[in-house]
Amino acid sequence: MTFLQIMDSSSHVPMVLFFGTIAMLALTIGLIVFIIFHQRRVMRYQMRLQKMEYDQQKMLLNASIKLQEEERQRIAADLHDDAGPLLATARLYLNENLVNLDKTTQLQSIYNAKQIIDDTIQLIRNLSHSLMPPTLKNFGLESAVSDLFQKISSSGSMNASARFHDYRERLQPESELILFRVIQELVNNILKHSNASFIHLTQNTNNNKFFIRLHHDGRGLTQADFDRLNKSSEGLGLKNIQSRVRAVHGKIFFEKDISQTHFKVTIELLKESSMVAP
Amino acid sequence: MIFIYIIASLLSNLLVQTSKNSSFVISGFEIIEFVFFASFFYFCLKNERAKLSVLIASIFAIGINVFLFYAFEKNFDFWNAILTTLLIIIYSILFFYEQVNSVNSLIIYQNFDFWVVTGCILYLSGTLFLFMYTSSMTDRERNSLWFVNFAFEIVKNICFSIAFLLARKPKQNILAPEFGNTNMT
């Protein structure tokens, strides 16, 4: 009010001084308040995003732990149920009483024990191969995938083929193993759920990126389905796929073909420090 | 820097009251004040392009101000107030924009520089019209209206005091404690 009284008493001081000051102040305070509220909104959004990512990571970690436990249980069961009885039987054939038996029975017992030990060796080899396929270790992803697809095709249930277009350089062994596991899991899912008549895998590289694409004609997943299942408590296998792909800093996309009849799964990863293929 | 500015501001207020040619003191102080504010923004901004823009615009504005100071002594305050206030408001918007997009996730008013900037723009926008018409006022009018300047000086100094207090406190990122150790790759 003092301000206005001064202005009224003096004709030289225009009204604009009073209203201008009020307007400028309003604008400035408005700007500051807007910035504060806007930043709070941005931060709330960031926190929500971080929380979602945290939950997702937690879910993936749980899935990975669960898978590890299942794998251990499977190995334990294989050793306990298959290798254990086989070795116990071999031991029965080679008991202390064997020396008191006649020569023919002795030879028969030794032969039987040898057979059982051979079976056990084969069993342990299979178990070891399921943990780390020797083809993958020695000859690389192309051979391992071709081997896997050949086995599927020869079973007669599905036509499976793989074609590697640009695989002159091998990936890092860890990346190859992870990629192979992901392909195995995807193929396993297709075999179990899709009712497809064929699977076709293609490999390519572009701009230092390594691409694997799986095609099939059965029932498949789209990216939306994958994201939904990944966030739900179901889909342990998919969560493992996601966590494995993340571990090699890769990406995975699920989509329907342009023809809308086939489904495609694309795995993309950076070709970092690859090694020359044999 | 802020501390030196406050001392300069106090000195100018004393000189305005005691000096015979108060317009000259006010005009001189306006240029010094702009230099302080512009340097503060230059050091606060992190984006190199924004920093360069502030530097070029400020040098240009100071050049214009010095020219106006000698060429149009009578109307100097009018143009100087408009130019410097507009520039400082633009710098503030640049600063706020950078803060909002910053990844350090601190609440903006936990930063001491936010309070310095708030003090600057509140003071400049509050006194813009007063300084614009300083030259055309009589000494009596100026003395009667000078309380507006003092009022906004107080507001500005309160903001600066908050800034000093915050600068001494350790900063806490509100997102860090909860999600800092969640890297599970």
Side-chain angles (χ1 to χ4, degrees), chain A residues 108-164:
Chain A
Q108 185 61 46
S109 291
I110 290 167
Y111 177 77
N112 286 345
K114 185 180 163 284
Q115 282 286 340
I116 289 166
I117 288 166
D118 282 346
D119 287 350
T120 315
I121 289 168
Q122 189 57 45
L123 181 90
I124 288 166
R125 183 179 287 155
N126 289 344
L127 198 66
S128 148
H129 287 184
S130 73
L131 292 175
M132 177 68 194
T135 330
L136 179 71
K137 192 181 165 194
N138 299 327
F139 304 106
L141 191 68
E142 185 177 2
S143 307
V145 169
S146 300
D147 216 27
L148 173 75
F149 276 42
Q150 208 174 358
K151 275 180 194 158
I152 296 167
S153 274
S154 56
S155 75
S157 59
M158 194 183 282
N159 184 12
S161 58
R163 194 176 169 87
F164 280 66

Side-chain angles (χ1 to χ4, degrees), chain A residues 166 203-211 268-271:
Chain A
D166 187 6
Q203 175 276 335
N204 231 318
T205 54
N206 189 15
N207 290 338
N208 206 34
K209 279 180 182 168
F210 188 91
F211 292 96
E268 175 194 315
L269 65 145
L270 275 176
K271 254 178 84 178

Side-chain angles (χ1 to χ4, degrees), chain A residues 3 6 10 12-14 16-17 20-21 24-25 28 32 35-36 38-40 43 46-47 50 54 57 61, chain B residues 89 96 100 105-109 114 118 121 125-126 128-129 133 137 141 144 148 152 174-175 182 184:
Chain A
F3 204 82
I6 293 161
S10 165
H12 292 96
V13 182
V16 80
L17 201 152
T21 305
M24 280 303 290
L25 271 180
T28 310
I32 294 165
I35 292 295
I36 290 171
H38 178 71
Q39 204 225 10
R40 287 178 83 98
M43 280 180 69
Q46 275 179 347
M47 279 179 84
Q50 268 189 311
Y54 171 74
Q57 279 188 332
L61 184 74
Chain B
I89 289 173
F96 287 140
V100 168
S105 304
L106 276 171
I107 298 172
I108 198 163
Y109 48 79
F114 167 80
T118 304
I121 54 167
S125 53
L128 169 69
F129 283 83
Y133 291 101
M137 285 182 209
E141 283 169 348
S144 327
V148 177
F152 283 105
I174 59 157
L175 297 179
T182 55
M184 296 179 203

Side-chain angles (χ1 to χ4, degrees), chain A residues 5-21:
Chain A
Q5 280 161 13
I6 293 161
M7 282 200 307
D8 290 342
S9 65
S10 165
S11 57
H12 292 96
V13 182
M15 283 287 279
V16 80
L17 201 152
F18 174 73
F19 290 111
T21 305

Side-chain angles (χ1 to χ4, degrees), chain A residues 186 189-198 216-222 225 254 256 261-265:
Chain A
L186 287 169
N189 281 351
I190 294 168
L191 287 172
K192 264 188 356 198
H193 308 291
S194 79
N195 208 15
S197 67
F198 80 87
H216 69 89
D217 63 342
R219 276 182 287 116
L221 294 177
T222 59
D225 298 327
F254 289 77
K256 219 171 183 179
T261 49
H262 297 167
F263 280 89
K264 278 194 298 192
V265 187

Side-chain angles (χ1 to χ4, degrees), chain A residues 17 21, chain B residues 5 9 12-13 16 22-23 25-30 33 37 74-82 84-85 123-137 142 145-146 148-150 152-153 156:
Chain A
L17 201 152
T21 305
Chain B
Y5 163 73
S9 168
S12 78
N13 279 331
V16 166
S22 56
S23 287
V25 177
I26 293 166
S27 305
F29 176 69
E30 279 173 14
E33 184 182 60
F37 286 165
K74 185 73 186 159
N75 269 331
F76 167 74
D77 293 311
F78 184 84
W79 296 110
N80 174 59
I82 292 178
T84 53
T85 308
Y123 171 69
L124 285 174
S125 53
T127 55
L128 169 69
F129 283 83
L130 181 71
F131 284 120
M132 270 166 69
Y133 291 101
T134 303
S135 317
S136 52
M137 285 182 209
R142 192 181 296 133
L145 282 170
W146 211 242
V148 177
N149 183 44
F150 288 137
F152 283 105
E153 283 259 4
K156 179 184 71 184

